[in-house]
């Protein structure tokens, strides 16, 4: 990937040769009304898939404004949001789940989010990193035969396994079930990115539950094959958090997973998510 230079002070350091970059030397709050910077920020994200921008000091209003550079803001239908800013999801944990689950955010929606903006206030002294894996690189690494086999298949994405009564994050439930019932939608297993045009895989182990019209045993086998392939280390990068880091990821190009490796400290973050265009 080519290094993108925005200003003399801006430093962009790729994390791996496939995905991810650390960005330093910019105060995002000073560029909220700068169209040229907006375009550069989009270019950085859609080039690297995930960018971790160090040294930020953001209010909730500024955090939302950065998200709005990319589109309208999404309000999470299930998890805990800020009462005064419902577009901001609160992530406040002192104990990690012990299962590492690769996923893209809210893929059970009709039009899943385009990008997420996770801002760290407090992080553990050691551990609590986030892994990212590039689903476009994973698709491109498949043989032409496998790519052809997947063409036209659709997968079922459901909220129930994660946010249902027996779901992984049922403890985060704060909304009446009659107002927010389980959500289920289908999406193509191979989709075209709306901005860079690359093809990528779109199944994940947190929300994808079946392949439409396929025998359940075959569906499970194929999904597990794809999940394992997507999680291959050659498609990954690892973001190490610091207070004041804003990490932005392209929800159509990468999946992520929090590393369940810390036992001391608090992981307190806010997340803004941006609505995406229809899946193709």
């Amino acid at each position: 990937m080519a290094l993108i230079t925005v200003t003399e002070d801006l430093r962009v350091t790729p994390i791996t040769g496939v995905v991810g970059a650390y960005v330093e030397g910019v105060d995002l709050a000073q560029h909220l009304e700068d169209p040229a910077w907006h375009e550069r920020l989009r270019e950085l994200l859609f080039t690297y898939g995930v960018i971790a921008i160090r040294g930020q000091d953001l209010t909730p209003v500024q955090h939302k404004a950065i998200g709005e550079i990319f589109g309208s803001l999404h309000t999470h239908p299930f998890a805990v949001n800020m009462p005064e800013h419902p577009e901001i999801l609160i992530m406040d944990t002192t104990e990690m789940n012990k299962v590492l689950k690769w996923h893209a955010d809210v893929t059970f929606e009709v039009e899943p989010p385009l990008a997420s903006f996770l801002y760290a206030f407090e992080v553990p002294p050691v551990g609590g990193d986030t892994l990212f894996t590039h689903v476009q690189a994973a698709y491109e690494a498949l043989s032409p035969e496998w790519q052809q086999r997947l063409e036209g298949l659709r997968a079922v994405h459901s909220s129930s396994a994660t946010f249902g009564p027996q779901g992984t994050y049922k403890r985060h439930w704060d909304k009446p079930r009659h107002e927010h019932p389980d959500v289920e939608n289908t999406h193509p297993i191979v989709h075209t990115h709306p901005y860079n045009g690359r093809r990528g895989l779109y199944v994940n182990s947190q929300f994808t539950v079946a392949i439409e019209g396929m025998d359940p045993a075959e569906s499970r086998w194929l999904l597990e094959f794809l999940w394992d392939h997507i999680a291959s280390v050659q498609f990954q990068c690892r973001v190490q958090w610091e207070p004041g880091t804003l990490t932005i990821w392209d929800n159509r190009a990468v999946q992520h997973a929090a590393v369940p490796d810390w036992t001391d400290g608090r992981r307190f973050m806010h997340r803004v998510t941006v609505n995406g265009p229809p899946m193709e």
Side-chain angles (χ1 to χ4, degrees):
M1 292 181 292
L3 188 68
I4 297 173
T5 301
V6 180
T7 69
E8 291 182 0
D9 296 327
L10 188 74
R11 297 178 300 281
V12 180
T13 306
I15 301 174
T16 72
V18 175
V19 62
Y22 287 114
V23 178
E24 298 175 284
V26 62
D27 182 351
L28 291 176
Q30 300 300 313
H31 295 278
L32 296 178
E33 305 299 329
D34 183 354
W37 168 252
H38 296 178
E39 184 58 34
R40 290 298 188 180
L41 188 61
R42 285 189 285 265
E43 184 182 8
L44 283 166
L45 180 61
F46 297 138
T47 297
Y48 291 101
V50 52
I51 51 176
I53 308 174
R54 303 292 202 197
Q56 304 305 298
D57 184 13
L58 302 174
T59 67
V61 171
Q62 291 169 335
H63 188 182
K64 292 195 301 183
I66 294 167
E68 288 172 333
I69 292 170
F70 289 79
S72 63
L73 302 186
H74 174 269
T75 299
H76 201 290
F78 300 112
V80 179
N81 303 322
M82 289 184 69
E84 63 272 37
H85 298 284
E87 306 90 346
I88 294 179
L89 185 152
I90 299 172
M91 304 181 72
D92 188 358
T93 51
T94 55
E95 180 181 335
M96 292 288 290
N97 288 313
K98 297 306 180 185
V99 178
L100 190 151
K101 283 245 179 185
W102 287 103
H103 64 286
D105 289 324
V106 203
T107 63
F108 50 80
E109 297 274 29
V110 175
E111 297 178 357
L114 172 66
S116 294
F117 304 72
L118 186 58
Y119 179 56
F121 292 93
E122 186 176 344
V123 298
V126 178
D129 301 341
T130 301
L131 296 174
F132 292 88
T133 191
H134 203 293
V135 297
Q136 295 171 336
Y139 172 75
E140 291 162 359
L142 291 171
S143 67
E145 292 77 15
W146 264 110
Q147 292 178 358
Q148 181 62 36
R149 180 177 180 181
L150 297 175
E151 198 66 36
L153 294 180
R154 297 183 66 85
V156 180
H157 297 246
S158 173
S159 66
S160 60
T162 298
F163 297 108
Q166 306 304 317
T168 307
Y169 290 100
K170 61 183 182 294
R171 70 181 186 277
H172 292 302
W173 187 273
D174 72 334
K175 300 172 184 177
R177 292 203 63 79
H178 70 277
E179 295 180 10
H180 297 273
D182 292 332
V183 178
E184 185 173 287
N185 284 289
T186 65
H187 301 299
I189 288 179
V190 180
H191 77 104
T192 301
H193 193 280
Y195 293 99
N196 62 30
R198 291 176 69 182
R199 303 280 275 161
L201 297 171
Y202 203 74
V203 294
N204 67 85
S205 60
Q206 185 156 300
F207 298 122
T208 311
V209 296
I211 298 175
E212 189 176 48
M214 187 173 286
D215 173 82
E218 293 181 352
S219 169
R220 187 68 187 181
W221 180 90
L222 182 52
L223 284 175
E224 289 183 351
F225 166 78
L226 293 174
W227 295 337
D228 288 345
H229 177 67
I230 289 168
S232 297
V233 68
Q234 67 264 34
F235 310 130
Q236 293 183 24
C237 74
R238 185 183 189 112
V239 169
Q240 295 181 317
W241 291 97
E242 298 173 358
T245 297
L246 176 70
T247 297
I248 309 174
W249 60 87
D250 181 345
N251 208 51
R252 301 289 180 89
V254 304
Q255 292 182 20
H256 62 282
V259 181
D261 65 344
W262 58 276
T263 57
D264 183 35
R266 181 189 186 199
R267 199 174 188 266
F268 179 52
M269 304 179 175
H270 285 173
R271 193 183 84 193
V272 165
T273 305
V274 174
N275 292 311
M279 296 289 295
E280 296 181 0

